[in-house]
């Protein structure tokens, strides 16, 4: 049995990865370590919580006593746990520094003492490159993070790299573009706009709506990680980009059209401070290992919209009963 530790496995990408891993690797025993912050939910793992090859541990990556025994027995560590929402990092960066930077430090320290460790995957992000006006980011490009979330992820990214360079640890770093798919917390643009539109509520589009994101289906992300766990080279960085550059305003029109809602639901709101204009990832390095994205954006978006339509049990309690979410929404968007 291969012992696998997934941090942040109750979040959006982590839960999709746990499900993906259990389906594809009958010889993996997966332990999910998650603090269950506002974004982490047992519901995200509802169909695999009782899986015989899966164990769930409720704990904080900042707690060295919790991490040490879990990391010590792991062969693979896939480190997703983080504070992840840019808007929240603008409202207050403290939790981002603690979780994303210090939490990564705690895990890396534990990993230094893990006798069987074969791979530590630091899940980084395209945001570390900063805004990319033209062309595509390459793994060797300078990092120019421009918001507190991106800066905290860049810190963790380089810290993980330093543990390879200094201690020869088997670290790889992955930088993915914007993910979409099922179980994404409805603060991020796609699930927020889809669930608002289902209810006929306005969708708050920042600024002129012409910012560009490079969309990656979460299943394609999981497949890339699976490949890199096996084929990635120690100390290397790999971009994982979907190759679907879409302007926010076009994305919004597509979502509304899929749901048969009018464009009049679009509500222009003041721009996000420091709003990165465009991300775009070059993926030559990853493609050379045999990966390509398989989910066409139109199909992936339609299926994702459908998923939120069919799974109101999953998002309505967050949007309608979770007082913390309602308070965040009011702070961010007003009434
Ligand atoms: P998410 O916010 O949905 O999930 C984060 C998870 O981490 C939650 O389950 C949360 O409970 C857990 N967590 C937070 N603090 C913790 C702590 N101190 N200890 C243990 N668990 C903790 O995020 P996501 O969108 O699934 O992102 C996962 C990872 O992928 C993050 O590292 C993020 O930076 C990265 N990433 C995300 C995207 C994207 O588009 N969503 C793109 C590129 C990279
Ligand atoms: O209400 C909104 N209105 C709006 O116009 C929200 C929430 C977003 N937007 C815009 C801002 C961005 O240009 O949509 C775009 C996407 O926004 P988010 O979903 O907040 O994602 P982004 O800021 O691009 O960051 C995401 O991609 C990189 C993830 O949240 C990060 O965790 C990941 O690292």
């Amino acid at each position: 049995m291969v012992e696998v530790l997934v941090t942040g496995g109750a979040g959006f990408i982590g839960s999709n990865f746990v499900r993906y891993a259990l389906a594809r690797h009958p010889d993996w025993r997966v332990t999910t370590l998650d603090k269950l912050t506002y974004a982490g939910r047992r519901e995200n793992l509802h169909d695999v919580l009782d899986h015989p090859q899966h164990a769930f541990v409720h704990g904080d990556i900042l707690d060295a006593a919790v991490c040490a025994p879990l990391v010590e027995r792991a062969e693979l560590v896939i480190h997703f746990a983080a504070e992840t929402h840019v808007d929240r990092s603008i409202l207050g960066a403290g939790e981002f520094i603690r979780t994303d930077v210090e939490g990564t430090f705690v895990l890396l320290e534990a990993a230094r003492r893990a006798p069987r460790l074969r791979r530590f995957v630091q899940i980084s992000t395209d945001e570390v490159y900063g805004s990319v006006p033209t062309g595509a980011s390459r793994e060797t490009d300078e990092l120019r993070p421009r918001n507190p979330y991106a800066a905290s992820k860049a810190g963790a990214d380089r810290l993980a790299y330093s543990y390879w360079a200094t201690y020869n640890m088997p670290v790889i770093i992955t930088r993915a573009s914007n993910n979409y798919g099922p179980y994404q917390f409805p603060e991020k643009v796609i699930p927020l706009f889809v669930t608002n539109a289902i209810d006929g509520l306005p969708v708050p589009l920042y600024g002129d709506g012409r910012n560009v994101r490079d969309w990656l289906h979460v299943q394609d992300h999981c497949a890339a990680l699976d490949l890199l766990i096996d084929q990635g080279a120690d100390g290397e960085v790999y971009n994982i980009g979907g190759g679907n550059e879409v302007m926010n305003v076009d994305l919004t029109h597509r979502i509304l059209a899929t749901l048969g809602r009018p464009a009049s639901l679009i509500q222009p709101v003041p721009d996000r401070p420091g709003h990165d204009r465009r991300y775009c990832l070059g993926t030559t390095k990853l493609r050379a290992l045999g990966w390509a994205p398989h989910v066409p954006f139109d199909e992936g978006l339609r299926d994702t919209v459908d998923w939120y339509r069919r799974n109101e049990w999953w998002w309505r309690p967050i949007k309608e009963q979770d007082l913390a979410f309602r308070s965040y929404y009011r702070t961010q968007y007003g009434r």
Side-chain angles (χ1 to χ4, degrees):
M1 278 294 167
V2 179
E3 289 288 346
V4 183
L5 177 64
V6 176
T7 72
F12 162 47
I13 305 173
S15 63
N16 278 283
F17 182 78
V18 168
R19 199 171 284 107
Y20 185 98
L22 290 170
R24 273 173 187 70
H25 296 285
D27 60 328
W28 283 15
R29 191 154 45 210
V30 178
T31 301
T32 295
L33 169 62
D34 200 294
K35 186 182 172 184
L36 299 178
T37 66
Y38 78 91
R41 306 176 71 219
R42 286 179 200 272
E43 289 88 332
N44 294 0
L45 294 166
H46 63 98
D47 51 340
V48 289
L49 274 178
D50 296 328
H51 193 291
Q53 309 287 103
H54 182 223
F56 179 79
V57 176
H58 183 194
D60 190 334
I61 56 165
L62 282 156
D63 188 340
V66 168
C67 293
L70 299 176
V71 175
E72 194 167 318
R73 65 165 193 252
E75 279 179 60
L76 310 175
V77 176
I78 327 296
H79 173 34
F80 293 99
E83 285 295 327
T84 63
H85 194 38
V86 173
D87 291 319
R88 290 187 193 249
S89 81
I90 293 167
L91 294 172
E95 211 51 51
F96 289 73
I97 308 304
R98 280 186 287 279
T99 299
D100 301 9
V101 183
E102 285 182 45
T104 301
F105 165 65
V106 170
L107 286 169
L108 287 165
E109 277 297 297
R112 272 177 70 189
R113 287 181 279 277
R116 299 197 297 149
L117 188 71
R118 287 196 282 128
R119 181 65 79 216
F120 185 106
V121 183
Q122 173 60 26
I123 305 289
S124 188
T125 165
D126 60 357
E127 300 225 0
V128 298
Y129 295 115
S131 199
V132 187
T134 56
S137 303
R138 284 176 309 173
E139 287 85 350
T140 48
D141 284 356
E142 193 179 331
L143 305 190
R144 299 169 188 263
R146 286 166 25 90
N147 62 64
Y149 161 72
S152 71
K153 291 295 292 186
D157 176 314
R158 291 299 82 194
L159 191 63
Y161 177 81
S162 79
Y163 273 62
W164 169 74
T166 310
Y167 306 113
N168 201 25
M169 264 175 49
V171 171
I172 64 167
I173 295 132
T174 63
R175 298 180 184 148
S177 59
N178 282 62
N179 280 223
Y180 70 105
Y183 301 103
Q184 187 169 29
F185 197 78
E187 64 189 352
K188 306 281 168 40
V189 73
I190 290 183
L192 175 67
F193 282 17
V194 170
T195 56
N196 275 16
I198 287 174
D199 283 345
L201 296 171
V203 296
L205 186 62
Y206 293 159
D208 65 3
R210 295 174 65 81
N211 301 63
V212 171
R213 295 296 182 264
D214 171 3
W215 291 98
L216 171 71
H217 194 275
V218 68
Q219 286 297 313
D220 283 326
H221 188 179
C222 291
L225 293 173
D226 199 25
L227 177 74
L228 288 169
I229 286 166
D230 196 42
Q231 310 264 314
D234 293 350
E236 293 293 321
V237 176
Y238 297 90
N239 288 343
I240 310 175
N244 299 298
E245 279 193 57
V246 185
M247 245 184 226
N248 291 340
V249 63
D250 296 337
L251 173 72
T252 309
H253 281 292
R254 287 198 211 194
I255 290 171
L256 294 174
T258 307
L259 284 164
R261 296 294 189 193
S264 57
L265 283 185
I266 298 177
Q267 181 177 45
V269 298
D271 209 354
R272 171 189 281 176
H275 194 174
D276 285 341
R277 194 63 166 166
R278 174 176 174 266
Y279 302 132
C280 178
L281 288 178
T283 53
T284 310
K285 192 168 169 183
L286 177 60
R287 284 171 187 263
L289 296 176
W291 176 88
H294 285 300
V295 184
F297 186 64
D298 279 345
E299 198 179 304
L301 185 63
R302 197 191 55 225
D303 290 352
T304 300
V305 169
D306 255 12
W307 188 87
Y308 289 97
R309 238 191 317 220
R310 284 186 283 104
N311 289 281
E312 296 196 1
W313 70 271
W314 183 84
W315 58 266
R316 275 208 189 279
I318 301 171
K319 292 191 75 174
E320 291 173 5
Q321 289 153 30
D322 183 338
L323 295 180
F325 181 78
R326 293 172 74 83
S327 152
Y328 163 74
Y329 200 92
R330 267 195 307 278
T331 306
Q332 182 65 20
Y333 301 103
R335 297 194 68 77

